[in-house]
Amino acid sequence: MEDLKRLAGRAALREVESGMKIGLGTGSTVRHFLDALGEALAQGELRDLLGVPTSEATAARAHELGIPLQELHEVVPLDLAVDGADEVDPSLDLIKGLGGALLREKMVVQEARRFVVIADPGKMVRRLGTQAPLPVEVVPFGWRSHLTFFQVLGAQPRLRTRGESGEPFLTDNGNHVVDLTFPNGISDPRGLQESLRGRAGVVETGLFLDSAALVLVGTAGGSISRMERNP
Ligand code: 5RP
């Protein structure tokens, strides 16, 4: 799978042109994209790029690779955002956030003229929520008060914890994540997004709807499958 992630990550380099302002996603697939970007800059194949990282981890890696970084507000609108996904459905709607960076990822995507997703074939699903839980970022205050609400929406909620310590996982924004498992998948992603976002204390969800313009998937044969959103 790592080879297929590398294939997808490196393929995204073809979407980048010198002078672009780029949102840099988070995760193991994005690490391959960052490596390719760093190499292209070092070799002079690309120049004058500015990146906006979606996590402290991505910022640290980009720094190591010599990719210049900026604050989001300094460079909007972005020309491009490149990020991984946990699930991709046939209409290119996504679940993201198993890496815990969903809020910053969504803020970066909303400022990008074009959002390119890089993935391995294991991320492709017929229906969202059938393989991955849906991450929901919540403020720590009163987080348990949401559990019944999530259950009424048909989900089995579980607070994300850090390793074996049992301590709540903290996002880069100091929030908790509740992972929602839907036994039969998510039948109405838009309705669910509206219900979740309408609740005070819920900061953001990992549903990325109507945002991906292109999905690049590394395939076992060594080629790249390109799926573009219908205009
Ligand atoms: C992080 C994300 C990642 O893009 C997603 O979890 C995919 O990660 P990976 O490339 O490691 O499979 O949404 O918040």
mmCIF file with all atom_site columns, all heavy atoms in Angstrom, residues 5 25-31 54 83-87 95-103 105 118-120 123 160 208, ligand 1:
data_model
loop_
_atom_site.group_PDB
_atom_site.id
_atom_site.type_symbol
_atom_site.label_atom_id
_atom_site.label_alt_id
_atom_site.label_comp_id
_atom_site.label_asym_id
_atom_site.label_entity_id
_atom_site.label_seq_id
_atom_site.pdbx_PDB_ins_code
_atom_site.Cartn_x
_atom_site.Cartn_y
_atom_site.Cartn_z
_atom_site.occupancy
_atom_site.B_iso_or_equiv
_atom_site.pdbx_formal_charge
_atom_site.auth_seq_id
_atom_site.auth_comp_id
_atom_site.auth_asym_id
_atom_site.auth_atom_id
_atom_site.pdbx_PDB_model_num
ATOM   1   N N   . LYS A 1 5   ? 0.585   4.603  -2.284 1.00 0.00 ? 5   LYS A N   1
ATOM   2   C CA  . LYS A 1 5   ? 0.492   5.966  -1.738 1.00 0.00 ? 5   LYS A CA  1
ATOM   3   C C   . LYS A 1 5   ? 1.586   6.841  -2.359 1.00 0.00 ? 5   LYS A C   1
ATOM   4   O O   . LYS A 1 5   ? 1.353   8.005  -2.701 1.00 0.00 ? 5   LYS A O   1
ATOM   5   C CB  . LYS A 1 5   ? 0.666   5.945  -0.211 1.00 0.00 ? 5   LYS A CB  1
ATOM   6   C CG  . LYS A 1 5   ? -0.509  5.347  0.529  1.00 0.00 ? 5   LYS A CG  1
ATOM   7   C CD  . LYS A 1 5   ? -0.305  5.400  2.022  1.00 0.00 ? 5   LYS A CD  1
ATOM   8   C CE  . LYS A 1 5   ? -1.514  4.781  2.720  1.00 0.00 ? 5   LYS A CE  1
ATOM   9   N NZ  . LYS A 1 5   ? -1.591  5.084  4.129  1.00 0.00 ? 5   LYS A NZ  1
ATOM   10  N N   . GLY A 1 25  ? -1.666  19.114 2.761  1.00 0.00 ? 25  GLY A N   1
ATOM   11  C CA  . GLY A 1 25  ? -2.484  18.288 3.645  1.00 0.00 ? 25  GLY A CA  1
ATOM   12  C C   . GLY A 1 25  ? -1.664  17.552 4.682  1.00 0.00 ? 25  GLY A C   1
ATOM   13  O O   . GLY A 1 25  ? -0.496  17.882 4.946  1.00 0.00 ? 25  GLY A O   1
ATOM   14  N N   . THR A 1 26  ? -2.277  16.534 5.262  1.00 0.00 ? 26  THR A N   1
ATOM   15  C CA  . THR A 1 26  ? -1.661  15.798 6.373  1.00 0.00 ? 26  THR A CA  1
ATOM   16  C C   . THR A 1 26  ? -1.842  14.303 6.142  1.00 0.00 ? 26  THR A C   1
ATOM   17  O O   . THR A 1 26  ? -2.867  13.876 5.609  1.00 0.00 ? 26  THR A O   1
ATOM   18  C CB  . THR A 1 26  ? -2.339  16.218 7.694  1.00 0.00 ? 26  THR A CB  1
ATOM   19  O OG1 . THR A 1 26  ? -2.025  17.595 7.941  1.00 0.00 ? 26  THR A OG1 1
ATOM   20  C CG2 . THR A 1 26  ? -1.870  15.383 8.880  1.00 0.00 ? 26  THR A CG2 1
ATOM   21  N N   . GLY A 1 27  ? -0.834  13.525 6.560  1.00 0.00 ? 27  GLY A N   1
ATOM   22  C CA  . GLY A 1 27  ? -0.985  12.062 6.492  1.00 0.00 ? 27  GLY A CA  1
ATOM   23  C C   . GLY A 1 27  ? 0.144   11.399 5.745  1.00 0.00 ? 27  GLY A C   1
ATOM   24  O O   . GLY A 1 27  ? 1.054   12.056 5.226  1.00 0.00 ? 27  GLY A O   1
ATOM   25  N N   . SER A 1 28  ? 0.084   10.070 5.681  1.00 0.00 ? 28  SER A N   1
ATOM   26  C CA  . SER A 1 28  ? 1.180   9.300  5.104  1.00 0.00 ? 28  SER A CA  1
ATOM   27  C C   . SER A 1 28  ? 1.256   9.466  3.581  1.00 0.00 ? 28  SER A C   1
ATOM   28  O O   . SER A 1 28  ? 2.346   9.414  3.004  1.00 0.00 ? 28  SER A O   1
ATOM   29  C CB  . SER A 1 28  ? 1.040   7.824  5.477  1.00 0.00 ? 28  SER A CB  1
ATOM   30  O OG  . SER A 1 28  ? -0.240  7.344  5.118  1.00 0.00 ? 28  SER A OG  1
ATOM   31  N N   . THR A 1 29  ? 0.134   9.654  2.915  1.00 0.00 ? 29  THR A N   1
ATOM   32  C CA  . THR A 1 29  ? 0.168   9.847  1.451  1.00 0.00 ? 29  THR A CA  1
ATOM   33  C C   . THR A 1 29  ? 0.737   11.226 1.129  1.00 0.00 ? 29  THR A C   1
ATOM   34  O O   . THR A 1 29  ? 1.551   11.375 0.213  1.00 0.00 ? 29  THR A O   1
ATOM   35  C CB  . THR A 1 29  ? -1.255  9.685  0.861  1.00 0.00 ? 29  THR A CB  1
ATOM   36  O OG1 . THR A 1 29  ? -1.884  8.559  1.473  1.00 0.00 ? 29  THR A OG1 1
ATOM   37  C CG2 . THR A 1 29  ? -1.197  9.456  -0.646 1.00 0.00 ? 29  THR A CG2 1
ATOM   38  N N   . VAL A 1 30  ? 0.328   12.202 1.907  1.00 0.00 ? 30  VAL A N   1
ATOM   39  C CA  . VAL A 1 30  ? 0.846   13.566 1.699  1.00 0.00 ? 30  VAL A CA  1
ATOM   40  C C   . VAL A 1 30  ? 2.356   13.628 1.930  1.00 0.00 ? 30  VAL A C   1
ATOM   41  O O   . VAL A 1 30  ? 3.054   14.412 1.275  1.00 0.00 ? 30  VAL A O   1
ATOM   42  C CB  . VAL A 1 30  ? 0.087   14.560 2.603  1.00 0.00 ? 30  VAL A CB  1
ATOM   43  C CG1 . VAL A 1 30  ? 0.847   15.876 2.745  1.00 0.00 ? 30  VAL A CG1 1
ATOM   44  C CG2 . VAL A 1 30  ? -1.301  14.829 2.049  1.00 0.00 ? 30  VAL A CG2 1
ATOM   45  N N   . ARG A 1 31  ? 2.859   12.789 2.819  1.00 0.00 ? 31  ARG A N   1
ATOM   46  C CA  . ARG A 1 31  ? 4.319   12.802 3.052  1.00 0.00 ? 31  ARG A CA  1
ATOM   47  C C   . ARG A 1 31  ? 5.073   12.530 1.750  1.00 0.00 ? 31  ARG A C   1
ATOM   48  O O   . ARG A 1 31  ? 6.121   13.118 1.484  1.00 0.00 ? 31  ARG A O   1
ATOM   49  C CB  . ARG A 1 31  ? 4.715   11.760 4.105  1.00 0.00 ? 31  ARG A CB  1
ATOM   50  C CG  . ARG A 1 31  ? 4.553   12.247 5.524  1.00 0.00 ? 31  ARG A CG  1
ATOM   51  C CD  . ARG A 1 31  ? 5.040   11.198 6.502  1.00 0.00 ? 31  ARG A CD  1
ATOM   52  N NE  . ARG A 1 31  ? 6.488   11.117 6.572  1.00 0.00 ? 31  ARG A NE  1
ATOM   53  C CZ  . ARG A 1 31  ? 7.240   11.809 7.422  1.00 0.00 ? 31  ARG A CZ  1
ATOM   54  N NH1 . ARG A 1 31  ? 6.691   12.646 8.256  1.00 0.00 ? 31  ARG A NH1 1
ATOM   55  N NH2 . ARG A 1 31  ? 8.553   11.660 7.425  1.00 0.00 ? 31  ARG A NH2 1
ATOM   56  N N   . THR A 1 54  ? -1.363  22.040 6.985  1.00 0.00 ? 54  THR A N   1
ATOM   57  C CA  . THR A 1 54  ? -2.631  21.818 7.687  1.00 0.00 ? 54  THR A CA  1
ATOM   58  C C   . THR A 1 54  ? -2.428  21.171 9.059  1.00 0.00 ? 54  THR A C   1
ATOM   59  O O   . THR A 1 54  ? -3.407  20.834 9.734  1.00 0.00 ? 54  THR A O   1
ATOM   60  C CB  . THR A 1 54  ? -3.556  20.916 6.848  1.00 0.00 ? 54  THR A CB  1
ATOM   61  O OG1 . THR A 1 54  ? -2.829  19.727 6.514  1.00 0.00 ? 54  THR A OG1 1
ATOM   62  C CG2 . THR A 1 54  ? -4.002  21.612 5.581  1.00 0.00 ? 54  THR A CG2 1
ATOM   63  N N   . ASP A 1 83  ? -4.265  16.840 -0.659 1.00 0.00 ? 83  ASP A N   1
ATOM   64  C CA  . ASP A 1 83  ? -4.465  16.164 0.627  1.00 0.00 ? 83  ASP A CA  1
ATOM   65  C C   . ASP A 1 83  ? -4.894  14.715 0.386  1.00 0.00 ? 83  ASP A C   1
ATOM   66  O O   . ASP A 1 83  ? -5.372  14.370 -0.704 1.00 0.00 ? 83  ASP A O   1
ATOM   67  C CB  . ASP A 1 83  ? -5.534  16.913 1.450  1.00 0.00 ? 83  ASP A CB  1
ATOM   68  C CG  . ASP A 1 83  ? -5.359  16.710 2.943  1.00 0.00 ? 83  ASP A CG  1
ATOM   69  O OD1 . ASP A 1 83  ? -4.640  15.773 3.354  1.00 0.00 ? 83  ASP A OD1 1
ATOM   70  O OD2 . ASP A 1 83  ? -5.953  17.494 3.709  1.00 0.00 ? 83  ASP A OD2 1
ATOM   71  N N   . GLY A 1 84  ? -4.748  13.895 1.410  1.00 0.00 ? 84  GLY A N   1
ATOM   72  C CA  . GLY A 1 84  ? -5.204  12.514 1.364  1.00 0.00 ? 84  GLY A CA  1
ATOM   73  C C   . GLY A 1 84  ? -6.664  12.416 1.775  1.00 0.00 ? 84  GLY A C   1
ATOM   74  O O   . GLY A 1 84  ? -7.336  13.426 1.991  1.00 0.00 ? 84  GLY A O   1
ATOM   75  N N   . ALA A 1 85  ? -7.151  11.179 1.876  1.00 0.00 ? 85  ALA A N   1
ATOM   76  C CA  . ALA A 1 85  ? -8.538  10.956 2.295  1.00 0.00 ? 85  ALA A CA  1
ATOM   77  C C   . ALA A 1 85  ? -8.632  9.580  2.949  1.00 0.00 ? 85  ALA A C   1
ATOM   78  O O   . ALA A 1 85  ? -7.798  8.712  2.705  1.00 0.00 ? 85  ALA A O   1
ATOM   79  C CB  . ALA A 1 85  ? -9.475  11.030 1.096  1.00 0.00 ? 85  ALA A CB  1
ATOM   80  N N   . ASP A 1 86  ? -9.647  9.423  3.769  1.00 0.00 ? 86  ASP A N   1
ATOM   81  C CA  . ASP A 1 86  ? -9.893  8.120  4.394  1.00 0.00 ? 86  ASP A CA  1
ATOM   82  C C   . ASP A 1 86  ? -10.915 7.316  3.605  1.00 0.00 ? 86  ASP A C   1
ATOM   83  O O   . ASP A 1 86  ? -10.868 6.096  3.596  1.00 0.00 ? 86  ASP A O   1
ATOM   84  C CB  . ASP A 1 86  ? -10.344 8.323  5.845  1.00 0.00 ? 86  ASP A CB  1
ATOM   85  C CG  . ASP A 1 86  ? -9.265  9.047  6.625  1.00 0.00 ? 86  ASP A CG  1
ATOM   86  O OD1 . ASP A 1 86  ? -8.131  8.551  6.653  1.00 0.00 ? 86  ASP A OD1 1
ATOM   87  O OD2 . ASP A 1 86  ? -9.539  10.144 7.146  1.00 0.00 ? 86  ASP A OD2 1
ATOM   88  N N   . GLU A 1 87  ? -11.841 8.009  2.968  1.00 0.00 ? 87  GLU A N   1
ATOM   89  C CA  . GLU A 1 87  ? -12.789 7.364  2.050  1.00 0.00 ? 87  GLU A CA  1
ATOM   90  C C   . GLU A 1 87  ? -13.099 8.330  0.902  1.00 0.00 ? 87  GLU A C   1
ATOM   91  O O   . GLU A 1 87  ? -13.178 9.544  1.119  1.00 0.00 ? 87  GLU A O   1
ATOM   92  C CB  . GLU A 1 87  ? -14.108 7.017  2.751  1.00 0.00 ? 87  GLU A CB  1
ATOM   93  C CG  . GLU A 1 87  ? -14.039 5.833  3.688  1.00 0.00 ? 87  GLU A CG  1
ATOM   94  C CD  . GLU A 1 87  ? -15.416 5.376  4.180  1.00 0.00 ? 87  GLU A CD  1
ATOM   95  O OE1 . GLU A 1 87  ? -16.416 6.114  3.988  1.00 0.00 ? 87  GLU A OE1 1
ATOM   96  O OE2 . GLU A 1 87  ? -15.479 4.297  4.770  1.00 0.00 ? 87  GLU A OE2 1
ATOM   97  N N   . ILE A 1 95  ? -14.536 11.247 3.240  1.00 0.00 ? 95  ILE A N   1
ATOM   98  C CA  . ILE A 1 95  ? -14.343 11.332 4.689  1.00 0.00 ? 95  ILE A CA  1
ATOM   99  C C   . ILE A 1 95  ? -12.854 11.550 4.896  1.00 0.00 ? 95  ILE A C   1
ATOM   100 O O   . ILE A 1 95  ? -12.021 10.867 4.288  1.00 0.00 ? 95  ILE A O   1
ATOM   101 C CB  . ILE A 1 95  ? -14.802 10.053 5.419  1.00 0.00 ? 95  ILE A CB  1
ATOM   102 C CG1 . ILE A 1 95  ? -16.328 10.022 5.513  1.00 0.00 ? 95  ILE A CG1 1
ATOM   103 C CG2 . ILE A 1 95  ? -14.194 9.991  6.829  1.00 0.00 ? 95  ILE A CG2 1
ATOM   104 C CD1 . ILE A 1 95  ? -16.889 8.815  6.256  1.00 0.00 ? 95  ILE A CD1 1
ATOM   105 N N   . LYS A 1 96  ? -12.526 12.529 5.737  1.00 0.00 ? 96  LYS A N   1
ATOM   106 C CA  . LYS A 1 96  ? -11.152 12.813 6.116  1.00 0.00 ? 96  LYS A CA  1
ATOM   107 C C   . LYS A 1 96  ? -11.088 12.972 7.636  1.00 0.00 ? 96  LYS A C   1
ATOM   108 O O   . LYS A 1 96  ? -12.095 13.111 8.283  1.00 0.00 ? 96  LYS A O   1
ATOM   109 C CB  . LYS A 1 96  ? -10.672 14.117 5.468  1.00 0.00 ? 96  LYS A CB  1
ATOM   110 C CG  . LYS A 1 96  ? -10.443 13.973 3.978  1.00 0.00 ? 96  LYS A CG  1
ATOM   111 C CD  . LYS A 1 96  ? -9.902  15.258 3.350  1.00 0.00 ? 96  LYS A CD  1
ATOM   112 C CE  . LYS A 1 96  ? -8.757  15.874 4.073  1.00 0.00 ? 96  LYS A CE  1
ATOM   113 N NZ  . LYS A 1 96  ? -7.626  14.983 4.357  1.00 0.00 ? 96  LYS A NZ  1
ATOM   114 N N   . GLY A 1 97  ? -9.853  12.958 8.154  1.00 0.00 ? 97  GLY A N   1
ATOM   115 C CA  . GLY A 1 97  ? -9.694  13.305 9.564  1.00 0.00 ? 97  GLY A CA  1
ATOM   116 C C   . GLY A 1 97  ? -9.229  12.191 10.474 1.00 0.00 ? 97  GLY A C   1
ATOM   117 O O   . GLY A 1 97  ? -9.115  12.402 11.678 1.00 0.00 ? 97  GLY A O   1
ATOM   118 N N   . LEU A 1 98  ? -8.938  11.004 9.899  1.00 0.00 ? 98  LEU A N   1
ATOM   119 C CA  . LEU A 1 98  ? -8.399  9.966  10.801 1.00 0.00 ? 98  LEU A CA  1
ATOM   120 C C   . LEU A 1 98  ? -7.043  10.404 11.345 1.00 0.00 ? 98  LEU A C   1
ATOM   121 O O   . LEU A 1 98  ? -6.615  9.941  12.392 1.00 0.00 ? 98  LEU A O   1
ATOM   122 C CB  . LEU A 1 98  ? -8.299  8.611  10.089 1.00 0.00 ? 98  LEU A CB  1
ATOM   123 C CG  . LEU A 1 98  ? -9.630  7.903  9.818  1.00 0.00 ? 98  LEU A CG  1
ATOM   124 C CD1 . LEU A 1 98  ? -9.402  6.421  9.493  1.00 0.00 ? 98  LEU A CD1 1
ATOM   125 C CD2 . LEU A 1 98  ? -10.602 8.004  10.980 1.00 0.00 ? 98  LEU A CD2 1
ATOM   126 N N   . GLY A 1 99  ? -6.389  11.318 10.635 1.00 0.00 ? 99  GLY A N   1
ATOM   127 C CA  . GLY A 1 99  ? -5.138  11.889 11.144 1.00 0.00 ? 99  GLY A CA  1
ATOM   128 C C   . GLY A 1 99  ? -5.363  13.055 12.102 1.00 0.00 ? 99  GLY A C   1
ATOM   129 O O   . GLY A 1 99  ? -4.415  13.616 12.642 1.00 0.00 ? 99  GLY A O   1
ATOM   130 N N   . GLY A 1 100 ? -6.613  13.451 12.282 1.00 0.00 ? 100 GLY A N   1
ATOM   131 C CA  . GLY A 1 100 ? -6.947  14.460 13.280 1.00 0.00 ? 100 GLY A CA  1
ATOM   132 C C   . GLY A 1 100 ? -6.786  15.903 12.834 1.00 0.00 ? 100 GLY A C   1
ATOM   133 O O   . GLY A 1 100 ? -6.909  16.815 13.646 1.00 0.00 ? 100 GLY A O   1
ATOM   134 N N   . ALA A 1 101 ? -6.542  16.122 11.533 1.00 0.00 ? 101 ALA A N   1
ATOM   135 C CA  . ALA A 1 101 ? -6.278  17.495 11.067 1.00 0.00 ? 101 ALA A CA  1
ATOM   136 C C   . ALA A 1 101 ? -7.459  18.079 10.303 1.00 0.00 ? 101 ALA A C   1
ATOM   137 O O   . ALA A 1 101 ? -7.313  19.052 9.567  1.00 0.00 ? 101 ALA A O   1
ATOM   138 C CB  . ALA A 1 101 ? -5.025  17.502 10.188 1.00 0.00 ? 101 ALA A CB  1
ATOM   139 N N   . LEU A 1 102 ? -8.654  17.514 10.497 1.00 0.00 ? 102 LEU A N   1
ATOM   140 C CA  . LEU A 1 102 ? -9.785  17.849 9.628  1.00 0.00 ? 102 LEU A CA  1
ATOM   141 C C   . LEU A 1 102 ? -10.136 19.331 9.586  1.00 0.00 ? 102 LEU A C   1
ATOM   142 O O   . LEU A 1 102 ? -10.471 19.864 8.530  1.00 0.00 ? 102 LEU A O   1
ATOM   143 C CB  . LEU A 1 102 ? -11.012 17.025 10.020 1.00 0.00 ? 102 LEU A CB  1
ATOM   144 C CG  . LEU A 1 102 ? -11.549 17.151 11.431 1.00 0.00 ? 102 LEU A CG  1
ATOM   145 C CD1 . LEU A 1 102 ? -13.037 16.889 11.453 1.00 0.00 ? 102 LEU A CD1 1
ATOM   146 C CD2 . LEU A 1 102 ? -10.877 16.145 12.349 1.00 0.00 ? 102 LEU A CD2 1
ATOM   147 N N   . LEU A 1 103 ? -10.066 20.021 10.727 1.00 0.00 ? 103 LEU A N   1
ATOM   148 C CA  . LEU A 1 103 ? -10.496 21.420 10.744 1.00 0.00 ? 103 LEU A CA  1
ATOM   149 C C   . LEU A 1 103 ? -9.564  22.290 9.892  1.00 0.00 ? 103 LEU A C   1
ATOM   150 O O   . LEU A 1 103 ? -10.024 23.035 9.019  1.00 0.00 ? 103 LEU A O   1
ATOM   151 C CB  . LEU A 1 103 ? -10.548 21.938 12.175 1.00 0.00 ? 103 LEU A CB  1
ATOM   152 C CG  . LEU A 1 103 ? -10.875 23.428 12.323 1.00 0.00 ? 103 LEU A CG  1
ATOM   153 C CD1 . LEU A 1 103 ? -12.219 23.767 11.693 1.00 0.00 ? 103 LEU A CD1 1
ATOM   154 C CD2 . LEU A 1 103 ? -10.868 23.833 13.796 1.00 0.00 ? 103 LEU A CD2 1
ATOM   155 N N   . GLU A 1 105 ? -7.553  21.260 7.645  1.00 0.00 ? 105 GLU A N   1
ATOM   156 C CA  . GLU A 1 105 ? -7.629  20.797 6.255  1.00 0.00 ? 105 GLU A CA  1
ATOM   157 C C   . GLU A 1 105 ? -8.816  21.435 5.554  1.00 0.00 ? 105 GLU A C   1
ATOM   158 O O   . GLU A 1 105 ? -8.711  21.887 4.409  1.00 0.00 ? 105 GLU A O   1
ATOM   159 C CB  . GLU A 1 105 ? -7.750  19.270 6.228  1.00 0.00 ? 105 GLU A CB  1
ATOM   160 C CG  . GLU A 1 105 ? -6.469  18.585 6.660  1.00 0.00 ? 105 GLU A CG  1
ATOM   161 C CD  . GLU A 1 105 ? -6.592  17.084 6.831  1.00 0.00 ? 105 GLU A CD  1
ATOM   162 O OE1 . GLU A 1 105 ? -7.707  16.581 7.007  1.00 0.00 ? 105 GLU A OE1 1
ATOM   163 O OE2 . GLU A 1 105 ? -5.553  16.414 6.826  1.00 0.00 ? 105 GLU A OE2 1
ATOM   164 N N   . ILE A 1 118 ? -5.180  12.677 -3.065 1.00 0.00 ? 118 ILE A N   1
ATOM   165 C CA  . ILE A 1 118 ? -4.280  11.569 -3.408 1.00 0.00 ? 118 ILE A CA  1
ATOM   166 C C   . ILE A 1 118 ? -4.610  10.400 -2.488 1.00 0.00 ? 118 ILE A C   1
ATOM   167 O O   . ILE A 1 118 ? -4.778  10.566 -1.283 1.00 0.00 ? 118 ILE A O   1
ATOM   168 C CB  . ILE A 1 118 ? -2.796  11.992 -3.287 1.00 0.00 ? 118 ILE A CB  1
ATOM   169 C CG1 . ILE A 1 118 ? -2.526  12.755 -1.984 1.00 0.00 ? 118 ILE A CG1 1
ATOM   170 C CG2 . ILE A 1 118 ? -2.400  12.843 -4.489 1.00 0.00 ? 118 ILE A CG2 1
ATOM   171 C CD1 . ILE A 1 118 ? -1.082  13.216 -1.826 1.00 0.00 ? 118 ILE A CD1 1
ATOM   172 N N   . ALA A 1 119 ? -4.722  9.203  -3.083 1.00 0.00 ? 119 ALA A N   1
ATOM   173 C CA  . ALA A 1 119 ? -5.216  8.073  -2.291 1.00 0.00 ? 119 ALA A CA  1
ATOM   174 C C   . ALA A 1 119 ? -4.717  6.755  -2.857 1.00 0.00 ? 119 ALA A C   1
ATOM   175 O O   . ALA A 1 119 ? -4.250  6.676  -4.004 1.00 0.00 ? 119 ALA A O   1
ATOM   176 C CB  . ALA A 1 119 ? -6.741  8.086  -2.285 1.00 0.00 ? 119 ALA A CB  1
ATOM   177 N N   . ASP A 1 120 ? -4.830  5.711  -2.035 1.00 0.00 ? 120 ASP A N   1
ATOM   178 C CA  . ASP A 1 120 ? -4.589  4.349  -2.508 1.00 0.00 ? 120 ASP A CA  1
ATOM   179 C C   . ASP A 1 120 ? -5.946  3.697  -2.759 1.00 0.00 ? 120 ASP A C   1
ATOM   180 O O   . ASP A 1 120 ? -6.978  4.212  -2.285 1.00 0.00 ? 120 ASP A O   1
ATOM   181 C CB  . ASP A 1 120 ? -3.756  3.573  -1.476 1.00 0.00 ? 120 ASP A CB  1
ATOM   182 C CG  . ASP A 1 120 ? -4.454  3.512  -0.139 1.00 0.00 ? 120 ASP A CG  1
ATOM   183 O OD1 . ASP A 1 120 ? -5.410  2.707  -0.015 1.00 0.00 ? 120 ASP A OD1 1
ATOM   184 O OD2 . ASP A 1 120 ? -4.096  4.278  0.775  1.00 0.00 ? 120 ASP A OD2 1
ATOM   185 N N   . LYS A 1 123 ? -9.090  3.217  -0.325 1.00 0.00 ? 123 LYS A N   1
ATOM   186 C CA  . LYS A 1 123 ? -9.917  4.327  0.156  1.00 0.00 ? 123 LYS A CA  1
ATOM   187 C C   . LYS A 1 123 ? -11.227 4.470  -0.639 1.00 0.00 ? 123 LYS A C   1
ATOM   188 O O   . LYS A 1 123 ? -12.091 5.249  -0.260 1.00 0.00 ? 123 LYS A O   1
ATOM   189 C CB  . LYS A 1 123 ? -9.135  5.648  0.043  1.00 0.00 ? 123 LYS A CB  1
ATOM   190 C CG  . LYS A 1 123 ? -7.771  5.631  0.714  1.00 0.00 ? 123 LYS A CG  1
ATOM   191 C CD  . LYS A 1 123 ? -7.890  5.566  2.197  1.00 0.00 ? 123 LYS A CD  1
ATOM   192 C CE  . LYS A 1 123 ? -6.579  5.524  2.954  1.00 0.00 ? 123 LYS A CE  1
ATOM   193 N NZ  . LYS A 1 123 ? -5.628  6.562  2.685  1.00 0.00 ? 123 LYS A NZ  1
ATOM   194 N N   . ARG A 1 160 ? -11.900 9.600  20.629 1.00 0.00 ? 160 ARG A N   1
ATOM   195 C CA  . ARG A 1 160 ? -10.564 9.159  20.208 1.00 0.00 ? 160 ARG A CA  1
ATOM   196 C C   . ARG A 1 160 ? -9.582  9.366  21.361 1.00 0.00 ? 160 ARG A C   1
ATOM   197 O O   . ARG A 1 160 ? -9.609  10.427 22.008 1.00 0.00 ? 160 ARG A O   1
ATOM   198 C CB  . ARG A 1 160 ? -10.107 9.929  18.971 1.00 0.00 ? 160 ARG A CB  1
ATOM   199 C CG  . ARG A 1 160 ? -8.899  9.277  18.315 1.00 0.00 ? 160 ARG A CG  1
ATOM   200 C CD  . ARG A 1 160 ? -8.456  10.014 17.089 1.00 0.00 ? 160 ARG A CD  1
ATOM   201 N NE  . ARG A 1 160 ? -9.460  10.030 16.027 1.00 0.00 ? 160 ARG A NE  1
ATOM   202 C CZ  . ARG A 1 160 ? -9.255  10.592 14.848 1.00 0.00 ? 160 ARG A CZ  1
ATOM   203 N NH1 . ARG A 1 160 ? -8.094  11.177 14.585 1.00 0.00 ? 160 ARG A NH1 1
ATOM   204 N NH2 . ARG A 1 160 ? -10.200 10.587 13.930 1.00 0.00 ? 160 ARG A NH2 1
ATOM   205 N N   . PHE A 1 208 ? -16.142 15.950 3.612  1.00 0.00 ? 208 PHE A N   1
ATOM   206 C CA  . PHE A 1 208 ? -15.700 16.936 2.620  1.00 0.00 ? 208 PHE A CA  1
ATOM   207 C C   . PHE A 1 208 ? -16.561 16.709 1.387  1.00 0.00 ? 208 PHE A C   1
ATOM   208 O O   . PHE A 1 208 ? -16.295 15.804 0.590  1.00 0.00 ? 208 PHE A O   1
ATOM   209 C CB  . PHE A 1 208 ? -14.212 16.757 2.289  1.00 0.00 ? 208 PHE A CB  1
ATOM   210 C CG  . PHE A 1 208 ? -13.282 17.293 3.348  1.00 0.00 ? 208 PHE A CG  1
ATOM   211 C CD1 . PHE A 1 208 ? -13.321 16.838 4.651  1.00 0.00 ? 208 PHE A CD1 1
ATOM   212 C CD2 . PHE A 1 208 ? -12.345 18.269 3.022  1.00 0.00 ? 208 PHE A CD2 1
ATOM   213 C CE1 . PHE A 1 208 ? -12.462 17.335 5.629  1.00 0.00 ? 208 PHE A CE1 1
ATOM   214 C CE2 . PHE A 1 208 ? -11.473 18.785 3.980  1.00 0.00 ? 208 PHE A CE2 1
ATOM   215 C CZ  . PHE A 1 208 ? -11.540 18.307 5.292  1.00 0.00 ? 208 PHE A CZ  1
HETATM 216 C C1  . 5RP B 2 .   ? -5.708  13.662 8.171  1.00 0.00 ? 1   5RP B C1  1
HETATM 217 C C2  . 5RP B 2 .   ? -6.413  13.157 6.972  1.00 0.00 ? 1   5RP B C2  1
HETATM 218 C C3  . 5RP B 2 .   ? -5.629  12.304 6.047  1.00 0.00 ? 1   5RP B C3  1
HETATM 219 O O1  . 5RP B 2 .   ? -5.610  12.911 4.806  1.00 0.00 ? 1   5RP B O1  1
HETATM 220 C C4  . 5RP B 2 .   ? -6.283  10.968 5.934  1.00 0.00 ? 1   5RP B C4  1
HETATM 221 O O2  . 5RP B 2 .   ? -6.389  10.423 7.243  1.00 0.00 ? 1   5RP B O2  1
HETATM 222 C C5  . 5RP B 2 .   ? -5.504  10.023 5.027  1.00 0.00 ? 1   5RP B C5  1
HETATM 223 O O3  . 5RP B 2 .   ? -4.288  9.698  5.633  1.00 0.00 ? 1   5RP B O3  1
HETATM 224 P P1  . 5RP B 2 .   ? -3.254  8.694  4.986  1.00 0.00 ? 1   5RP B P1  1
HETATM 225 O O4  . 5RP B 2 .   ? -2.734  9.327  3.759  1.00 0.00 ? 1   5RP B O4  1
HETATM 226 O O5  . 5RP B 2 .   ? -2.212  8.501  6.062  1.00 0.00 ? 1   5RP B O5  1
HETATM 227 O O6  . 5RP B 2 .   ? -3.986  7.403  4.692  1.00 0.00 ? 1   5RP B O6  1
HETATM 228 O O7  . 5RP B 2 .   ? -7.555  13.441 6.721  1.00 0.00 ? 1   5RP B O7  1
HETATM 229 O O8  . 5RP B 2 .   ? -6.564  14.412 8.995  1.00 0.00 ? 1   5RP B O8  1
#
